[in-house]
Amino acid sequence: MKYSFYVLLLIFFLSGTSAVFGQSEKREVEQSIDISEMPAIALETLNEFWPNMDNIRYIYETDGDSENFEAKLEWMGKQYSIEFTDKGYVIDVEQLVDISEISTETTDAIRSYLEQQFKSVRITRLQRQFIADDEDETDDIDFIDDILEEDSEDYEIRYEMEVEGKSNSVIGAFELLFDESGKIIQRRRIIRRSLDNIW
Amino acid sequence: MTRNLAPLMKNFIFFAFILLCPLSVTAQSNLDWIWNPEISYSKKASDRTTLIAKLSVFNSLDNASNRRFVQFIEPQFSASYTLTARWKIGGGYYFRWAEPLIDGNRYEHRLLQQAGYINYLGDQRLAHRFRLEQRIRTSSYQNRFRYRISFDFPLQGERLDPGEKYLIFKNEMMTAFNATESDAENRVSAGLGWFIRGSYKFEFNMQYRTQDIFSGEGVSHLLLFGTAFYISR
């Protein structure tokens, strides 16, 4: 009884693992890295504004095709996330904000969208994205300088919002991207991990 | 080792130390050593409904060389329904085959009803589970209420990606009650998981159980080493 049961269990396990290791797939990976693994140009840019800041967290991201780097830091009471290319050039800057920090017109437009789409909804995360206008795309120092000085003529703003929502047809977590006026640009479902080990 | 990993590993070691401290106290008392392999298969039947099948086995490491090695074999079937983005309810049926006889019973049928609430902080999850059980044995019946709190989080970065590891901590309190007996038990565990890829994960955990708290015949202890393989579709 004892041995036959474990032979069956082993066969079941091996049949499962062969399926696991036999398949190749596009991997999306994000992991913490050491400062020494960051591109030098990215570190030069960061050092220009935040010299000797020691509580910056560095992240490496890849989807299998492209590689990006990210620096997360807190400055003047705000949390910033600065995304870089693999060469170290800035892609965009994100700032964690509360919805009360957005203009009334934009907030009204966003709330109107949420009310149309969901019966009940909870905002779990909101980030203001800064995207460089053309003239600053090759000058990262000017771009970040504009953000910190709130010189809004030189960058484009978007809002990336994560919500938990429920309607008659859908339920779950979603990532919503709005333009500066609150008009929806993109909506994606957030695929959460299976709950099988905590349920 | 990444910058985030070092303090987390220190916390894990500290937690494991706290977890195992009672062993030094009970080293000479009634302590059972168990290896508990599990395999779980879950499938989303719809946007809201998930079906779960699980096989769990209790092996007594104290009896590894004789026929009392396999103590329980438990096939389990359950379903869950998503009420909101955070609340779930569900129910299921467990069957236990015991060898040798446990409390004079070879078979046990178990019905369960449960509700769960999950808090998300990024990819860190704090889950509360409330469960009612009806344990039907050949010659006895028992109700049981269980509450479990679980916390798991990735060890590398803010999101758990394929190939990465995570830590999981749980504590469960339960009380059994019927007309003739009542009892209480606590189960605390710490585990290390490996998220192999989208549908597969493997978990190793160590669980310490304090049992028979209200029995009046002395508290018993159980140390359980768990290995679990999860498949979710």
Side-chain angles (χ1 to χ4, degrees), chain A residues 6 30 57 164 193 196, chain B residues 59 86 123 158 161 201:
Chain A
Y6 279 103
E30 171 251 73
R57 291 189 298 128
E164 291 173 351
R193 286 190 282 142
D196 49 9
Chain B
N59 298 306
R86 297 189 177 199
D123 219 8
E158 295 181 345
D161 293 306
K201 58 180 174 280

Side-chain angles (χ1 to χ4, degrees), chain B residues 202-218:
Chain B
F202 180 78
E203 220 171 86
F204 171 81
N205 65 72
M206 216 161 45
Q207 185 183 94
Y208 180 68
R209 296 186 181 182
T210 312
Q211 301 172 315
D212 306 320
I213 294 171
F214 296 152
S215 69
E217 297 171 5

